[in-house]
């Protein structure tokens, strides 16, 4: 199989602010394995860059010709960039489906009608600005980025203008003390769950937080995102969180994403499927796993100005998978 790549610059529709910082451009990489395609998202706070991804790809040896021996091919990936390793895995799954003439969800035995609806993300901003965006979006499921000062005002302002389901993501932006102070207050606003309230490495903090919240009779579910990259990390947080967030850029692809989802299930955890700032290539690859998940947060293509590929489609919060073989993405003719 021949490995090649090309850079994929993405411009965001609006500056995207989260607890780690703000950005309005991303520099991803498309990876091809014969006819298969995958995407590596260069997310700075995961230590990834376009240069680093390309440097990694240059070190990848011949992956062989055994398209149907997925684990064997994937084991040939050298250690290094998670995003690049993920893109190789996606391209291999795409190629697998194309060789067999079937969409990926079918090869995985999944029902494409069972996709949970996706949330739409509202970046961290002034409470009034976030409330206006929430109202104008008209979306039934919103995900709010928090993790700064005035988080309670943000949620309060948005709750005042919408009956939408609201989930919030602190992106590791609170200390233990801040989290314990604000979560009981946020619980008053009828939220679905809170993502990553504590620091990435503070796994013990999640056990502590669970106990403290139980004593206060606060039942708002807590999900881990940045703290859980692969199935091994799920095990470390068993009993401490109610759910985990699975992303192909953390699991290094579809193969390990499946293991991560099943490991979470085995520990009675919920699963949300999510993405980074990605085009329809990476997000459609992920969407094939959505029938296995409780919640979906796959709005990456809606955040970017020009998406060079067509893949999954959106109707409000409803997402639909393409019927084409493999991941099912197609280069747009105008791009
Ligand atoms: Mg998150």
């Amino acid at each position: 199989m021949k490995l090649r790549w090309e850079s994929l610059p993405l411009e965001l529709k609006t500056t995207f602010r989260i607890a780690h910082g703000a950005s309005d451009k991303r520099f991803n990489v498309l990876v091809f394995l014969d006819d298969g395609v995958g995407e590596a998202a260069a997310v700075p706070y995961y230590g990834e860059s376009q240069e680093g991804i390309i440097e990694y790809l240059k070190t990848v040896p011949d992956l062989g010709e055994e398209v149907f021996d997925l684990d064997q091919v994937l084991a040939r990936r050298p250690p290094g960039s998670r995003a690049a390793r993920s893109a190789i895995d996606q391209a291999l799954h795409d190629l697998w489906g194309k060789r067999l003439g079937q969409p990926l969800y079918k090869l995985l035995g999944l029902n494409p009608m069972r996709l949970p609806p996706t949330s739409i993300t509202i970046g961290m901003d002034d409470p009034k600005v976030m409330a206006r965006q929430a109202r104008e979006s008209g979306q039934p499921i919103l995900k709010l980025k928090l993790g700064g000062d005035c988080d309670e005002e943000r949620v309060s302002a948005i709750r005042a203008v919408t009956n939408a389901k609201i989930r919030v993501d602190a992106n590791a932006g609170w200390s233990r003390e801040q989290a314990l102070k604000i979560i009981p207050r946020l619980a008053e606003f009828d939220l679905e769950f809170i993502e990553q309230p504590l620091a990435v490495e503070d796994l013990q903090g999640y056990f502590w937080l669970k106990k403290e919240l139980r004593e206060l009779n606060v039942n708002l579910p807590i999900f881990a995102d940045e703290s859980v990259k692969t199935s091994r990390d799920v095990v470390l947080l068993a009993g401490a969180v109610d759910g985990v967030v699975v992303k192909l850029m953390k699991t290094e692809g579809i193969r390990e994403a499946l293991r991560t989802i099943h490991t979470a299930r085995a520990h009675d955890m919920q699963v949300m499927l999510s993405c980074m700032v990605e085009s329809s290539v990476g997000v459609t690859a992920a969407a094939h796993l959505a029938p296995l998940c409780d919640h979906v947060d796959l709005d990456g293509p809606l955040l970017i100005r020009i998406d060079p590929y067509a893949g999954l489609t959106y109707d409000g919060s409803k997402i639909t998978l393409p019927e084409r073989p493999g991941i099912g993405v197609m280069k747009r003719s105008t791009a």
Side-chain angles (χ1 to χ4, degrees), residues 16-21 26 43 45-46 121-124 130 143-148 151 167-175 193-201 206 223-227 245 247 250 272 274-276 297:
F16 191 57
R17 268 190 202 87
I18 66 170
H20 302 286
R26 286 294 172 89
V43 181
Y45 70 83
Y46 277 100
T121 304
I122 296 185
M124 196 159 75
M130 290 177 76
K143 169 162 153 170
L144 314 182
K145 291 293 194 180
L146 302 181
D151 283 334
R167 50 189 69 155
V168 304
D169 187 355
N171 282 117
W174 298 327
S175 67
F193 52 82
I194 298 193
E195 253 180 77
Q196 194 70 32
L198 301 177
V200 181
E201 308 299 336
Y206 283 90
F223 279 44
D225 180 359
E226 285 90 332
S227 293
V245 180
K247 295 176 182 166
K250 296 190 298 179
M272 177 157 83
S274 186
C275 62
M276 306 294 186
D297 168 36

Side-chain angles (χ1 to χ4, degrees), residues 115-120 138-142 296 298 302 313-320:
L115 304 182
T118 184
S119 50
I120 305 298
Q139 291 287 342
I141 312 175
L142 299 172
V296 163
L298 291 177
L302 302 176
T313 52
Y314 297 86
D315 177 9
S317 63
K318 185 179 184 305
I319 54 174
T320 304

Side-chain angles (χ1 to χ4, degrees), residues 8-26:
L8 175 65
L10 297 174
E11 209 178 310
L12 284 102
K13 285 179 186 166
T14 53
T15 300
F16 191 57
R17 268 190 202 87
I18 66 170
H20 302 286
S23 64
D24 52 15
K25 280 199 184 72
R26 286 294 172 89

Side-chain angles (χ1 to χ4, degrees), residues 259-315:
R259 278 191 286 264
T260 307
I261 292 167
H262 294 312
T263 305
R265 290 273 174 249
H267 289 93
D268 273 334
M269 293 182 195
Q270 297 182 59
V271 178
M272 177 157 83
L273 184 65
S274 186
C275 62
M276 306 294 186
V277 174
E278 295 166 39
S279 77
S280 281
V281 174
V283 175
T284 306
H288 284 268
L289 302 178
L292 291 168
C293 302
D294 306 288
H295 310 281
V296 163
D297 168 36
L298 291 177
D299 63 348
L302 302 176
L303 304 176
I304 57 178
R305 216 178 276 281
I306 296 169
D307 189 343
Y309 278 76
L312 81 170
T313 52
Y314 297 86
D315 177 9

